Amino acid sequence: MAAAGGNEATVQSPTTWTAASPLTVLPGVGPVVARRLAAAGLRTLRDLLQFFPRRYRPLRELIAPVADAVGTLVRLQGTVRSVRSAWLPGRRSMVTFEFASADGTPFHAAFFNQPWLRKNWPPGTERGLEGQLERDGRRSYCGKRALPLPMAPDRAPCSCVIPRSRAWGRRAWWSGSAPCWRRSIGRRCRCRRCRPDSTSCTLPPRELFLAMHRPTDVATHERARLHFAVREAVALFAAVEQARRARTARQGWSFATDAPLAERIRARLPFALTADQDLALAALFGRLRGPAAMGALLQGDVGTGKTAVAVAVALAVLARGGQVAFLAPTEILAAQQAAAVAAWLGGSNVEVILLTAALTRAERQAIGERLRTGGRHLVFGTHALLSASVAFACLALVVIDEQHRFGVDQRMALVQKGKDPHVLVMTATPIPRTLALTMFGDLDVVTLRSRPPGRRPVPARFLATDRWPRVLRSIARAIRRGGRVFVVCPAVGEDGEKGGVVRMQQVLATRFKTALVHGRLPLAERQAAIAAFARGDTDVLIGTTVLEVGIDVPAATLMVVAAAERFGIGQLHQLRGRVGRGRRRGLCILCGVDGERVRAVSRTHDGFELAEADLALRGSGELLGTAQSGFAELRALDPVDDLGLLLRVRAAVRDR
Ligand code: ADP
Ligand code: MG
């Protein structure tokens, strides 16, 4: 329960609270809870105030249970008539109350794991309850499968909308097991006043917050939400518009990308481009020729061949004497891209350079020196590229792969190393149109939809955890047929923890030739493991999500994801994109606990559809998380529902 860790000694009087006060001023928030809240991005009272519920459900106030309300949320008042408690397997308990409503009709409510309620609510107690009205046999329940929520004693009885707070990552206790928390904000909004201070004077009036957390009716809530949504949209587009103006005002490098050059570039690639790649390339070359610096987003599902397009664009820029920086999220990916492209460009005058944190300082300095003096440099690198000590003589194109792994400030750090360079960002997580508009309102979007010939989508099959022996048989079969196998686990688990790669390797090493990669191993070791796997010295590569991006081993045919429920839709989709890259068809086995995300990935291969599903499941807020977008998280604005509002605000901001 959230009250654990309460630290009464440090509780200050509410009159000294400000919007910037730490959450520990709240009764019941001690260091433990504060840490959890901080992990969810909540540190101050302001954060908590602005942590709006994601959904609202209308609630009916009833005198007694009625048949036509079954399945909806209701509020019922009643007097406790009798109590029964029972212990369930696994040290769980259930307390069932029988209430009499005002007209005498009985109804029940069942509470899990709150045995103390029996003592707290003896027969005769009057309580208000909110919950889903259900029928079980001849009994009516106010909350059975869905938990009933006892009303707080000081509740205003007029509210007819229940906010549903967002689940926090895997810990859903905010909304589930600690209903008191859900309401505490609303109560505090009502009964305490934050003293204005220098930082809080920008906060809207508290009535608006109240209407967000404890709306009295749908219309009041929608008015308040629109207020916050418009504020957010204006802030968002002001930033986007500023970036757009800055970019188009600059004179980019106008590149002549004539037909002979395009032919020469195509000849350098080891394959003929697909029709989609051709179109994308033509569009991007068009931007290079334009008067302003290019700002483009190249999006396409895993395996649609974005790298080849980006490299072709890079070659055009290199041919005209500019330097190119290619930013990748992991060292493995950067190294792999550098190696592949170096092979394509063998015998040309382009110098392919790899710059990662794994190099020694002296090596990095030597590279820095070369970049500063200039040349036909195509640099692949990780965050090490962003370091202040890296400078370019004439950086003309910045390519950012897997853009969602970087924040806006990181992308900007690289862009600012050049004088108005062209920018190409790439994403394998297709972005629904509405989100593209908000995240990349200032970029031109180019999309790859088809795949290179022979690359078939990889089906995903779900197997419950208890069918692990069958997974083992599938691994053995894949190897027997000459394929290789990835096994991905959600954690490192160096202490042998369950669900960790270390333990997984111990299990699998007894039967297969295995290698291990995770983020805590030195790069050289990781690369050695991947190289051994690519050569076929080992058959099974066990890793964390470092395997998610970019790894290209054509012989790999099977991807096993353990504890698949702990991965996001985007991650699962990326992971299955790692197999079936060669002649043989790939298969992905998702092992774990069934769930929406696992089901979505098993159902469809279409990255766009998955992105929409992801959006619906998670809400846009998380997709747009600060780390990703650099914009403050959208709290009230819903880029899907509020598309109309977004477009209007964008037009208004542009005309300003
Ligand atoms: P993405 O980054 O979009 O996931 P990649 O650029 O890594 O995809 O390409 C996936 C694989 O397909 C790579 O092995 C690449 O060499 C190959 N590939 C890309 N374009 C083509 C093409 N036109 N024909 C054949 N193979 C291609
Ligand atoms: Mg890629």
Side-chain angles (χ1 to χ4, degrees), residues 17-32:
W17 292 358
T18 69
S21 300
L23 289 176
T24 43
V25 300
L26 297 176
V29 180
V32 176

mmCIF file with all atom_site columns, all heavy atoms in Angstrom, residues 17-32:
data_model
loop_
_atom_site.group_PDB
_atom_site.id
_atom_site.type_symbol
_atom_site.label_atom_id
_atom_site.label_alt_id
_atom_site.label_comp_id
_atom_site.label_asym_id
_atom_site.label_entity_id
_atom_site.label_seq_id
_atom_site.pdbx_PDB_ins_code
_atom_site.Cartn_x
_atom_site.Cartn_y
_atom_site.Cartn_z
_atom_site.occupancy
_atom_site.B_iso_or_equiv
_atom_site.pdbx_formal_charge
_atom_site.auth_seq_id
_atom_site.auth_comp_id
_atom_site.auth_asym_id
_atom_site.auth_atom_id
_atom_site.pdbx_PDB_model_num
ATOM 1   N N   . TRP A 1 17 ? 3.475  24.607 1.654  1.00 0.00 ? 17 TRP A N   1
ATOM 2   C CA  . TRP A 1 17 ? 3.698  23.913 0.389  1.00 0.00 ? 17 TRP A CA  1
ATOM 3   C C   . TRP A 1 17 ? 3.673  24.879 -0.774 1.00 0.00 ? 17 TRP A C   1
ATOM 4   O O   . TRP A 1 17 ? 2.889  25.832 -0.803 1.00 0.00 ? 17 TRP A O   1
ATOM 5   C CB  . TRP A 1 17 ? 2.586  22.894 0.137  1.00 0.00 ? 17 TRP A CB  1
ATOM 6   C CG  . TRP A 1 17 ? 2.594  21.740 1.069  1.00 0.00 ? 17 TRP A CG  1
ATOM 7   C CD1 . TRP A 1 17 ? 3.494  21.494 2.062  1.00 0.00 ? 17 TRP A CD1 1
ATOM 8   C CD2 . TRP A 1 17 ? 1.635  20.691 1.099  1.00 0.00 ? 17 TRP A CD2 1
ATOM 9   N NE1 . TRP A 1 17 ? 3.159  20.346 2.710  1.00 0.00 ? 17 TRP A NE1 1
ATOM 10  C CE2 . TRP A 1 17 ? 2.028  19.821 2.145  1.00 0.00 ? 17 TRP A CE2 1
ATOM 11  C CE3 . TRP A 1 17 ? 0.517  20.383 0.352  1.00 0.00 ? 17 TRP A CE3 1
ATOM 12  C CZ2 . TRP A 1 17 ? 1.317  18.674 2.444  1.00 0.00 ? 17 TRP A CZ2 1
ATOM 13  C CZ3 . TRP A 1 17 ? -0.193 19.251 0.655  1.00 0.00 ? 17 TRP A CZ3 1
ATOM 14  C CH2 . TRP A 1 17 ? 0.198  18.402 1.691  1.00 0.00 ? 17 TRP A CH2 1
ATOM 15  N N   . THR A 1 18 ? 4.502  24.590 -1.756 1.00 0.00 ? 18 THR A N   1
ATOM 16  C CA  . THR A 1 18 ? 4.408  25.311 -3.012 1.00 0.00 ? 18 THR A CA  1
ATOM 17  C C   . THR A 1 18 ? 4.352  24.267 -4.114 1.00 0.00 ? 18 THR A C   1
ATOM 18  O O   . THR A 1 18 ? 4.552  23.079 -3.865 1.00 0.00 ? 18 THR A O   1
ATOM 19  C CB  . THR A 1 18 ? 5.639  26.199 -3.259 1.00 0.00 ? 18 THR A CB  1
ATOM 20  O OG1 . THR A 1 18 ? 6.747  25.341 -3.492 1.00 0.00 ? 18 THR A OG1 1
ATOM 21  C CG2 . THR A 1 18 ? 5.901  27.108 -2.085 1.00 0.00 ? 18 THR A CG2 1
ATOM 22  N N   . ALA A 1 19 ? 4.131  24.716 -5.329 1.00 0.00 ? 19 ALA A N   1
ATOM 23  C CA  . ALA A 1 19 ? 4.068  23.769 -6.435 1.00 0.00 ? 19 ALA A CA  1
ATOM 24  C C   . ALA A 1 19 ? 5.394  23.048 -6.601 1.00 0.00 ? 19 ALA A C   1
ATOM 25  O O   . ALA A 1 19 ? 5.448  21.948 -7.131 1.00 0.00 ? 19 ALA A O   1
ATOM 26  C CB  . ALA A 1 19 ? 3.696  24.491 -7.721 1.00 0.00 ? 19 ALA A CB  1
ATOM 27  N N   . ALA A 1 20 ? 6.469  23.676 -6.128 1.00 0.00 ? 20 ALA A N   1
ATOM 28  C CA  . ALA A 1 20 ? 7.783  23.066 -6.309 1.00 0.00 ? 20 ALA A CA  1
ATOM 29  C C   . ALA A 1 20 ? 8.183  22.191 -5.126 1.00 0.00 ? 20 ALA A C   1
ATOM 30  O O   . ALA A 1 20 ? 9.259  21.604 -5.129 1.00 0.00 ? 20 ALA A O   1
ATOM 31  C CB  . ALA A 1 20 ? 8.826  24.162 -6.529 1.00 0.00 ? 20 ALA A CB  1
ATOM 32  N N   . SER A 1 21 ? 7.332  22.072 -4.111 1.00 0.00 ? 21 SER A N   1
ATOM 33  C CA  . SER A 1 21 ? 7.677  21.238 -2.959 1.00 0.00 ? 21 SER A CA  1
ATOM 34  C C   . SER A 1 21 ? 7.847  19.796 -3.396 1.00 0.00 ? 21 SER A C   1
ATOM 35  O O   . SER A 1 21 ? 7.112  19.311 -4.254 1.00 0.00 ? 21 SER A O   1
ATOM 36  C CB  . SER A 1 21 ? 6.574  21.289 -1.905 1.00 0.00 ? 21 SER A CB  1
ATOM 37  O OG  . SER A 1 21 ? 6.389  22.598 -1.449 1.00 0.00 ? 21 SER A OG  1
ATOM 38  N N   . PRO A 1 22 ? 8.793  19.104 -2.757 1.00 0.00 ? 22 PRO A N   1
ATOM 39  C CA  . PRO A 1 22 ? 8.951  17.684 -3.088 1.00 0.00 ? 22 PRO A CA  1
ATOM 40  C C   . PRO A 1 22 ? 7.751  16.907 -2.588 1.00 0.00 ? 22 PRO A C   1
ATOM 41  O O   . PRO A 1 22 ? 7.075  17.335 -1.642 1.00 0.00 ? 22 PRO A O   1
ATOM 42  C CB  . PRO A 1 22 ? 10.212 17.284 -2.334 1.00 0.00 ? 22 PRO A CB  1
ATOM 43  C CG  . PRO A 1 22 ? 10.307 18.267 -1.219 1.00 0.00 ? 22 PRO A CG  1
ATOM 44  C CD  . PRO A 1 22 ? 9.740  19.560 -1.750 1.00 0.00 ? 22 PRO A CD  1
ATOM 45  N N   . LEU A 1 23 ? 7.519  15.761 -3.197 1.00 0.00 ? 23 LEU A N   1
ATOM 46  C CA  . LEU A 1 23 ? 6.339  14.979 -2.839 1.00 0.00 ? 23 LEU A CA  1
ATOM 47  C C   . LEU A 1 23 ? 6.416  14.433 -1.419 1.00 0.00 ? 23 LEU A C   1
ATOM 48  O O   . LEU A 1 23 ? 5.413  14.032 -0.850 1.00 0.00 ? 23 LEU A O   1
ATOM 49  C CB  . LEU A 1 23 ? 6.160  13.828 -3.829 1.00 0.00 ? 23 LEU A CB  1
ATOM 50  C CG  . LEU A 1 23 ? 5.701  14.296 -5.202 1.00 0.00 ? 23 LEU A CG  1
ATOM 51  C CD1 . LEU A 1 23 ? 5.641  13.134 -6.167 1.00 0.00 ? 23 LEU A CD1 1
ATOM 52  C CD2 . LEU A 1 23 ? 4.341  14.959 -5.098 1.00 0.00 ? 23 LEU A CD2 1
ATOM 53  N N   . THR A 1 24 ? 7.619  14.445 -0.855 1.00 0.00 ? 24 THR A N   1
ATOM 54  C CA  . THR A 1 24 ? 7.753  13.899 0.493  1.00 0.00 ? 24 THR A CA  1
ATOM 55  C C   . THR A 1 24 ? 7.023  14.760 1.524  1.00 0.00 ? 24 THR A C   1
ATOM 56  O O   . THR A 1 24 ? 6.881  14.343 2.664  1.00 0.00 ? 24 THR A O   1
ATOM 57  C CB  . THR A 1 24 ? 9.241  13.778 0.882  1.00 0.00 ? 24 THR A CB  1
ATOM 58  O OG1 . THR A 1 24 ? 9.910  14.959 0.467  1.00 0.00 ? 24 THR A OG1 1
ATOM 59  C CG2 . THR A 1 24 ? 9.883  12.570 0.242  1.00 0.00 ? 24 THR A CG2 1
ATOM 60  N N   . VAL A 1 25 ? 6.571  15.955 1.153  1.00 0.00 ? 25 VAL A N   1
ATOM 61  C CA  . VAL A 1 25 ? 5.785  16.729 2.115  1.00 0.00 ? 25 VAL A CA  1
ATOM 62  C C   . VAL A 1 25 ? 4.427  16.080 2.352  1.00 0.00 ? 25 VAL A C   1
ATOM 63  O O   . VAL A 1 25 ? 3.793  16.320 3.374  1.00 0.00 ? 25 VAL A O   1
ATOM 64  C CB  . VAL A 1 25 ? 5.562  18.199 1.666  1.00 0.00 ? 25 VAL A CB  1
ATOM 65  C CG1 . VAL A 1 25 ? 6.882  18.925 1.503  1.00 0.00 ? 25 VAL A CG1 1
ATOM 66  C CG2 . VAL A 1 25 ? 4.730  18.266 0.402  1.00 0.00 ? 25 VAL A CG2 1
ATOM 67  N N   . LEU A 1 26 ? 3.991  15.236 1.437  1.00 0.00 ? 26 LEU A N   1
ATOM 68  C CA  . LEU A 1 26 ? 2.681  14.617 1.586  1.00 0.00 ? 26 LEU A CA  1
ATOM 69  C C   . LEU A 1 26 ? 2.746  13.528 2.646  1.00 0.00 ? 26 LEU A C   1
ATOM 70  O O   . LEU A 1 26 ? 3.699  12.756 2.673  1.00 0.00 ? 26 LEU A O   1
ATOM 71  C CB  . LEU A 1 26 ? 2.225  13.985 0.265  1.00 0.00 ? 26 LEU A CB  1
ATOM 72  C CG  . LEU A 1 26 ? 2.020  14.925 -0.905 1.00 0.00 ? 26 LEU A CG  1
ATOM 73  C CD1 . LEU A 1 26 ? 1.656  14.118 -2.147 1.00 0.00 ? 26 LEU A CD1 1
ATOM 74  C CD2 . LEU A 1 26 ? 0.915  15.906 -0.581 1.00 0.00 ? 26 LEU A CD2 1
ATOM 75  N N   . PRO A 1 27 ? 1.748  13.457 3.496  1.00 0.00 ? 27 PRO A N   1
ATOM 76  C CA  . PRO A 1 27 ? 1.719  12.358 4.445  1.00 0.00 ? 27 PRO A CA  1
ATOM 77  C C   . PRO A 1 27 ? 1.654  11.053 3.675  1.00 0.00 ? 27 PRO A C   1
ATOM 78  O O   . PRO A 1 27 ? 0.955  10.965 2.661  1.00 0.00 ? 27 PRO A O   1
ATOM 79  C CB  . PRO A 1 27 ? 0.424  12.586 5.230  1.00 0.00 ? 27 PRO A CB  1
ATOM 80  C CG  . PRO A 1 27 ? -0.219 13.797 4.680  1.00 0.00 ? 27 PRO A CG  1
ATOM 81  C CD  . PRO A 1 27 ? 0.586  14.343 3.568  1.00 0.00 ? 27 PRO A CD  1
ATOM 82  N N   . GLY A 1 28 ? 2.398  10.069 4.108  1.00 0.00 ? 28 GLY A N   1
ATOM 83  C CA  . GLY A 1 28 ? 2.352  8.786  3.431  1.00 0.00 ? 28 GLY A CA  1
ATOM 84  C C   . GLY A 1 28 ? 3.389  8.659  2.345  1.00 0.00 ? 28 GLY A C   1
ATOM 85  O O   . GLY A 1 28 ? 3.538  7.602  1.751  1.00 0.00 ? 28 GLY A O   1
ATOM 86  N N   . VAL A 1 29 ? 4.101  9.709  2.029  1.00 0.00 ? 29 VAL A N   1
ATOM 87  C CA  . VAL A 1 29 ? 5.153  9.586  1.024  1.00 0.00 ? 29 VAL A CA  1
ATOM 88  C C   . VAL A 1 29 ? 6.499  9.659  1.729  1.00 0.00 ? 29 VAL A C   1
ATOM 89  O O   . VAL A 1 29 ? 6.967  10.733 2.102  1.00 0.00 ? 29 VAL A O   1
ATOM 90  C CB  . VAL A 1 29 ? 5.064  10.689 -0.046 1.00 0.00 ? 29 VAL A CB  1
ATOM 91  C CG1 . VAL A 1 29 ? 6.174  10.514 -1.068 1.00 0.00 ? 29 VAL A CG1 1
ATOM 92  C CG2 . VAL A 1 29 ? 3.714  10.639 -0.723 1.00 0.00 ? 29 VAL A CG2 1
ATOM 93  N N   . GLY A 1 30 ? 7.080  8.507  1.929  1.00 0.00 ? 30 GLY A N   1
ATOM 94  C CA  . GLY A 1 30 ? 8.410  8.438  2.509  1.00 0.00 ? 30 GLY A CA  1
ATOM 95  C C   . GLY A 1 30 ? 9.407  8.209  1.407  1.00 0.00 ? 30 GLY A C   1
ATOM 96  O O   . GLY A 1 30 ? 9.064  8.292  0.231  1.00 0.00 ? 30 GLY A O   1
ATOM 97  N N   . PRO A 1 31 ? 10.634 7.906  1.783  1.00 0.00 ? 31 PRO A N   1
ATOM 98  C CA  . PRO A 1 31 ? 11.685 7.733  0.766  1.00 0.00 ? 31 PRO A CA  1
ATOM 99  C C   . PRO A 1 31 ? 11.362 6.645  -0.252 1.00 0.00 ? 31 PRO A C   1
ATOM 100 O O   . PRO A 1 31 ? 11.649 6.796  -1.437 1.00 0.00 ? 31 PRO A O   1
ATOM 101 C CB  . PRO A 1 31 ? 12.924 7.368  1.571  1.00 0.00 ? 31 PRO A CB  1
ATOM 102 C CG  . PRO A 1 31 ? 12.565 7.473  3.008  1.00 0.00 ? 31 PRO A CG  1
ATOM 103 C CD  . PRO A 1 31 ? 11.123 7.753  3.151  1.00 0.00 ? 31 PRO A CD  1
ATOM 104 N N   . VAL A 1 32 ? 10.744 5.553  0.211  1.00 0.00 ? 32 VAL A N   1
ATOM 105 C CA  . VAL A 1 32 ? 10.498 4.430  -0.693 1.00 0.00 ? 32 VAL A CA  1
ATOM 106 C C   . VAL A 1 32 ? 9.491  4.820  -1.768 1.00 0.00 ? 32 VAL A C   1
ATOM 107 O O   . VAL A 1 32 ? 9.732  4.690  -2.970 1.00 0.00 ? 32 VAL A O   1
ATOM 108 C CB  . VAL A 1 32 ? 9.968  3.203  0.082  1.00 0.00 ? 32 VAL A CB  1
ATOM 109 C CG1 . VAL A 1 32 ? 9.627  2.087  -0.887 1.00 0.00 ? 32 VAL A CG1 1
ATOM 110 C CG2 . VAL A 1 32 ? 10.997 2.754  1.103  1.00 0.00 ? 32 VAL A CG2 1
#
